[in-house]
Amino acid sequence: MTIVAAPRRRGPTVAVLAYEGMTGFEVGIVTEVFGLARPELDVAWYEFAICAARPGPVRMVGGATMDTAHGLATFAAAETLIVPGVPDVRGEVDFDLVNVLRAAHARGARIVSICSGAFALAAAGLLDGRGAATHWRYADLLRERFPAVDVRPDVLYLDGGDVLTSAGSAAGLDLCLHLVRRDFGPTVANAVARRLVIPPHRDGGQAQFIEAPVPPDGDADPVAESMTWAMARLAEPLTVAALAARAHMSTRSYLRHFARRTGTSPVRWLIAQRVQASLPLLESTATPVEEVASAVGFETAVTFRHHFARAMRTSPSAYRRAFRDR
């Protein structure tokens, strides 16, 4: 009797674009997530290709050269196209790449950028009227060059459905894991995160990494003090007026100083802290979601679920199940 092996299941196709002068890390993070075989997950894993403008050698930082057999034709045919950066954020984006991105988007492909790759997507017109993330160092330049883009310098990544963008290179890992979560669910994404030895979800945004003046030793920072005060009282009703009063500022002045210090608003910061505070309760207790919501300061479970889903891309109940599956 002849035993015929079952054909290998075909997974989603992902292609990343290599370019002259890039670092190995930029293409490496994408390869690590999508390119490695993961038979232990028992899913039809991705078909992955590293592409270049033309097949052949691509010179990288440090004198290394990467050789790829795949050109723009392979890149254009993928279901997910990832642009991890551009050679020059002030230069013109390659005309052929712009056309490839436009055509792929028009046929329904998923278009993804990491760090300065947002400049390529913007040049193709794919970010017009959309929110977009890029490295905080490039946010002002992206806004200046492409005024139709709603540049968001305070987030790690943004999911616009068919177009997704992320901040600096390491934030690309967060976005890649998010794509895995979208494609295969939280349990698989958590397993990949565990293999990478990184958290399944990083809370917060890149505002925490933006260069900002640090008060000299001995100088009081009333905004920081008010944030510490609020963190100890997340379960209580907290208003911007109360935070401003704690900092001995007018509400208007407090909002200005808070945004300068954190890159976000007090309300958005409070919501993020309350969502973060809910995670240990969901991970390690069987406390009902309604009680978790109240314990971290949300007025209703409906409000909690709404903000949790926006921050974590899943529901509190699904997060609890997925975490216990890890």
Side-chain angles (χ1 to χ4, degrees):
M1 181 177 66
T2 302
I3 299 176
V4 179
R8 180 178 178 272
R9 292 177 292 171
R10 179 184 177 278
T13 56
V14 174
V16 62
L17 186 69
Y19 62 90
E20 293 282 322
M22 75 183 308
T23 69
F25 183 70
E26 291 176 84
V27 71
I29 58 176
V30 181
T31 304
E32 183 74 22
V33 174
F34 301 109
L36 294 183
R38 302 189 186 276
E40 75 280 6
L41 298 180
D42 193 29
V43 295
W45 200 243
Y46 299 94
E47 301 284 340
F48 177 72
I50 299 174
C51 306
R54 288 164 294 280
V58 178
R59 291 173 296 179
M60 304 171 69
V61 169
T65 300
M66 178 176 62
D67 201 313
T68 176
H70 304 295
L72 283 181
T74 302
F75 187 65
E79 294 166 286
T80 297
L81 289 71
I82 302 178
V83 183
V86 294
D88 181 3
V89 293
R90 298 184 183 277
E92 294 301 315
V93 178
D94 181 80
F95 181 76
D96 291 337
L97 173 59
V98 166
N99 285 338
V100 163
L101 293 174
R102 287 173 177 166
H105 180 256
R107 68 169 170 79
R110 189 165 57 184
I111 312 297
V112 179
S113 71
I114 298 172
C115 196
S116 66
F119 286 81
L121 273 59
L126 304 186
L127 299 181
D128 289 356
R130 293 177 181 259
T134 189
H135 194 289
W136 58 264
R137 291 180 58 197
Y138 306 137
D140 289 342
L141 180 60
L142 183 63
R143 189 181 290 114
E144 176 187 327
R145 291 191 60 190
F146 303 99
V149 179
D150 176 18
V151 182
R152 296 280 302 278
D154 59 335
V155 298
L156 293 176
Y157 63 85
L158 285 173
D159 182 349
D162 54 345
V163 178
L164 302 92
T165 55
S166 75
S169 297
L173 270 175
D174 298 278
L175 181 51
C176 289
L177 273 179
H178 174 67
L179 292 171
V180 173
R181 190 178 299 111
R182 270 184 48 172
D183 293 340
F184 295 109
T187 302
V188 171
N190 288 348
V192 175
R194 189 166 62 247
R195 283 277 298 270
L196 294 170
V197 199
I198 60 174
H201 175 85
R202 255 199 312 166
D203 183 67
Q206 64 171 331
Q208 61 192 300
F209 305 112
I210 295 175
E211 292 174 352
V214 178
D217 290 344
D219 283 11
D221 184 344
V223 171
E225 194 280 333
S226 70
M227 294 167 74
T228 300
W229 176 81
M231 287 292 291
R233 295 165 175 80
L234 288 180
E236 302 174 13
L238 294 170
T239 64
V240 175
L243 288 166
R246 183 71 187 183
H248 305 291
M249 296 181 185
S250 68
T251 299
R252 184 174 180 179
S253 179
Y254 183 78
L255 287 169
R256 185 173 66 254
H257 283 281
F258 194 98
R260 184 180 303 160
R261 189 185 193 283
T262 68
T264 188
S265 71
V267 172
R268 290 179 64 185
W269 176 80
L270 272 173
I271 289 171
Q273 300 313 307
R274 283 172 164 152
V275 169
Q276 181 68 15
S278 73
L279 300 185
L281 296 175
L282 295 170
E283 294 166 4
S284 60
T285 77
T287 305
V289 169
E290 291 75 12
E291 293 181 25
V292 172
S294 177
V296 297
F298 287 102
E299 291 185 0
T300 67
V302 172
T303 304
F304 172 50
R305 289 188 176 97
H306 169 75
H307 289 299
F308 192 96
R310 288 191 65 181
M312 304 297 291
R313 277 77 178 182
T314 187
S315 69
S317 298
Y319 177 87
R320 172 175 272 163
R321 289 194 299 271
F323 188 88
R324 291 179 177 180
D325 285 343
R326 288 193 297 165

